[in-house]
């Protein structure tokens, strides 16, 4: 009996040690795990509730947590966890505002109604077939590639405008002209347009500084333009991995602007360029606060005036639009945004942006070194580099683009009156060459 008691005691101690060890490891790794479950919850909510698709798992790139993720619900809320119990995250759906990660349902107010009619592309009939453009789109969809490579290329939509008219479009199986698609960092270019509207209205200036009341150090020198150009100098790491600042901001922080504002400087403002989604979200938190519009900021300032009825700009739990990443819109509505930029901010006879806004937006400052984003201006990327070389020698010098994760791309060629939108899901392949070829072929086909 005494031996049995000793055995039970030893087993009990071992169990307690294992529980303690597991608890310690879990608590240490919980923030990292939460970024994974946060992504899963937001993705599942948005794909089903915003995009209206029924297989969010197909939009989830492979990562070590996928086999252990459990996702339940559909926007009311959508819950993701590990093994059904650990690192639980919730995403809540709000009509007009999409999905938001939060512990409790966020109060985002009412979303402004966006009326149809301001965007002529919404109800435009399908364009007449153009064999040369169809061949160009076939290349962008990888029709000539082996099945595996075409699947990796993952093109989901192509829309082409010439002089504001819809001249070509094509969609992958499961998508059509009414399916909203996530632009990821193309959203940053729309944040530029939001800022331009407020500059035109006199609400903000590019030179505005002292943007946060808690900045009593050198961060007070950061300007609106530096946030747009990603030259704020705030410490950042854009690596999409578990536990990095970008994933922490998107999937752990309920107030993304405050999180970014809390970071220290690693460069003097205006002296170095580092790609930072944090800069863009901090900017939109400033704009939301200045206007008092909160989550409704994009709808009132841009989406409604342009008639983008499909567009949803998702906010964080504090009500700040996640301007770095979370604009959903149909490819036609994305093309309308490109057309608005091509027209230098004029829409239906009204000038919404300063007259020189797009010229300044694609201007690349020559004295910013180092940079990890050659060609980046103020939320848009230009073709002409300061040294006189072109990023895309195949394309006209005045080409500029909005670019997003997984191969989302909108190229605008003012000299050709051309807007080309390519949406896709391309985690396993670089789609840039096929997109540039698409634009080059479209210019040739329409010339």
């Amino acid at each position: 009996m005494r031996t049995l008691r000793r055995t039970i005691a030893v087993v009990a101690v071992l169990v307690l040690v294992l529980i303690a060890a597991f608890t310690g490891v879990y608590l240490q790794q919980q923030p990292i795990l939460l970024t994974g479950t946060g992504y899963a919850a937001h993705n599942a909510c948005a794909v089903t509730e915003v995009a209206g698709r029924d297989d969010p798992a197909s939009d989830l790139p492979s990562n070590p947590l996928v086999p252990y993720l459990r996702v339940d619900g559909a926007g009311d809320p959508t819950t993701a966890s590990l093994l059904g119990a650990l690192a639980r995250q919730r995403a809540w759906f709000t009509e007009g505002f999409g999905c938001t990660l939060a512990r409790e349902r966020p109060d985002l107010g009412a979303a402004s109604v966006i009326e149809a009619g301001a965007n002529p592309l919404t109800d435009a009939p399908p364009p007449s077939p153009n064999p040369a453009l169809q061949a160009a789109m076939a290349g962008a969809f990888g029709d000539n590639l082996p099945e595996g490579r075409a699947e990796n290329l993952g093109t989901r939509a192509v829309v082409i405008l010439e002089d504001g008219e819809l001249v070509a479009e094509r969609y992958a199986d499961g998508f059509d002209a009414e399916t909203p698609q996530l632009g990821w960092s193309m959203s940053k270019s729309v944040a530029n347009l939001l800022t331009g509207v407020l500059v035109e209205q006199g609400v903000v200036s590019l030179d505005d500084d002292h943007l946060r009341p808690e900045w009593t150090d050198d961060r007070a020198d950061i300007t609106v333009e530096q946030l747009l150009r990603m030259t704020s100098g705030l410490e950042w790491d854009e690596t999409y991995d578990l536990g990095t600042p970008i994933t922490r901001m998107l999937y752990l922080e309920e107030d993304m602007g405050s999180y970014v504002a809390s970071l220290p400087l690693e460069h003097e403002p205006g002296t170095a360029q580092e790609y930072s989604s944090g800069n863009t979200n901090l900017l939109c938190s400033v704009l939301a606060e200045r206007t008092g519009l909160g989550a409704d900021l994009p709808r009132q300032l841009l989406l409604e005036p342009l008639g983008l009825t499909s567009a949803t700009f998702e906010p964080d739990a504090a009500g700040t639009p996640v301007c770095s990443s979370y604009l959903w819109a149909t490819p036609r509505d994305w093309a309308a945004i490109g057309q608005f930029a091509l027209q230098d901010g004029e829409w239906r006879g009204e000038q919404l942006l300063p007259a020189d806004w797009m010229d300044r937006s694609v201007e690349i400052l020559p004295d910013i070194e180092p940079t990890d984003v050659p060609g980046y201006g103020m939320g848009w990327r230009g073709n002409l580099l300061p040294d006189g070389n072109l990023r895309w020698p195949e394309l006209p010098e005045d080409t500029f683009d909005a670019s997003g994760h997984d191969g989302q791309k909108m190229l605008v060629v003012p000299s050709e009156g051309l807007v080309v939108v390519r949406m896709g899901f391309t985690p396993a392949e670089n789609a840039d060459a096929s997109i540039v070829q698409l634009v080059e072929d479209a210019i040739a086909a329409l010339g």
Side-chain angles (χ1 to χ4, degrees), residues 14-82:
L14 287 174
V15 169
L16 290 173
V17 168
L18 289 173
I19 291 173
F22 173 80
T23 301
V25 170
Y26 173 69
L27 290 176
Q28 182 182 29
Q29 298 300 318
Q30 186 183 37
I32 294 176
L33 299 177
L34 285 168
T35 60
T37 54
Y39 176 56
H42 179 265
N43 180 80
C45 176
V47 167
T48 55
E49 299 299 311
V50 179
R53 301 180 64 237
D54 58 6
D55 186 19
S58 66
D59 287 348
L60 190 64
S62 297
N63 71 62
L65 297 181
V66 169
Y68 310 103
L69 288 172
R70 175 174 168 178
V71 180
D72 300 300
D76 198 29
T78 301
T79 302
S81 62
L82 293 176

Side-chain angles (χ1 to χ4, degrees), residues 335-380:
I337 293 169
Q339 186 64 30
F340 176 65
L342 185 150
Q343 295 172 185
D344 292 321
E346 182 275 328
W347 198 254
R348 303 182 75 195
E350 184 177 1
Q351 188 66 38
L352 301 179
L353 301 179
D356 63 346
W357 185 258
M358 290 310 303
D359 285 342
R360 189 161 182 175
S361 295
V362 301
E363 179 188 8
I364 302 160
L365 300 184
D367 54 350
I368 302 298
E369 285 292 343
T371 178
D372 61 354
V373 279
Y376 197 85
M378 295 197 313
W380 297 84

Side-chain angles (χ1 to χ4, degrees), residues 414-438:
S415 58
E416 300 287 340
L418 194 66
V419 175
V420 178
V421 171
R422 185 270 187 187
M423 308 300 289
F425 182 62
T426 317
E429 185 151 333
N430 187 341
D432 283 2
S434 69
I435 298 167
V436 172
Q437 186 65 54
L438 168 65

